[in-house]
Amino acid sequence: MTQAVRQSPSPRNPRSLLNAVLNSDGKPHPLQNTLVGVTVVLGLLAFVSSAFKDLHLLSSWSGLAGILTGAWGQFISATTGERFLLIIFLGASAVGFFLGMAHGGLFGGLIG
């Protein structure tokens, strides 16, 4: 059976838009939204810092942390908006992690 789409008033600020995307089922998800936020920050940090060879420690560790938080967030996510952002920034974390590993790794030659 086809259901009518609810027309909500257009969000006026970015916070309400983000809230509408992440909590599209109308219920709050504080843990899942926190994991999305942490994954976004770590993914951006890993991706941007991987462009600089000397920042391989930062990109590899933040990428590894972003992969772990993104994977856990995917495991417990509740809405499609959460899953969308998690996949995008999980990929950015993975790119940052792999480039950081290629530029020197997690320990930067301190071990081995």
Side-chain angles (χ1 to χ4, degrees):
M1 175 175 255
T2 306
Q3 296 180 359
V5 176
R6 245 183 302 184
Q7 297 294 329
S8 61
S10 64
R12 302 211 185 269
N13 59 19
R15 185 166 175 86
S16 64
L17 177 62
L18 187 62
N19 190 27
V21 168
L22 291 179
N23 299 326
S24 59
D25 60 351
K27 299 179 223 169
H29 305 285
L31 176 62
Q32 291 86 347
N33 293 347
T34 302
L35 286 172
V36 170
V38 169
T39 304
V40 166
V41 169
L42 289 172
L44 285 174
L45 180 64
F47 188 76
V48 170
S49 65
S50 69
F52 305 99
K53 189 174 183 176
D54 293 336
L55 295 177
H56 62 87
L57 290 172
L58 178 64
S59 63
S60 59
W61 280 107
S62 61
L64 181 62
I67 290 169
L68 294 175
T69 58
W72 184 255
Q74 275 291 97
F75 185 67
I76 65 170
S77 64
T79 64
T80 304
E82 292 168 355
R83 292 183 194 111
F84 176 78
L85 289 174
L86 282 168
I87 286 297
I88 297 297
F89 290 100
L90 181 65
S93 295
V95 168
F97 173 70
F98 291 131
L99 287 175
M101 291 299 288
H103 290 158
L106 293 169
F107 299 105
L110 297 176
I111 296 176

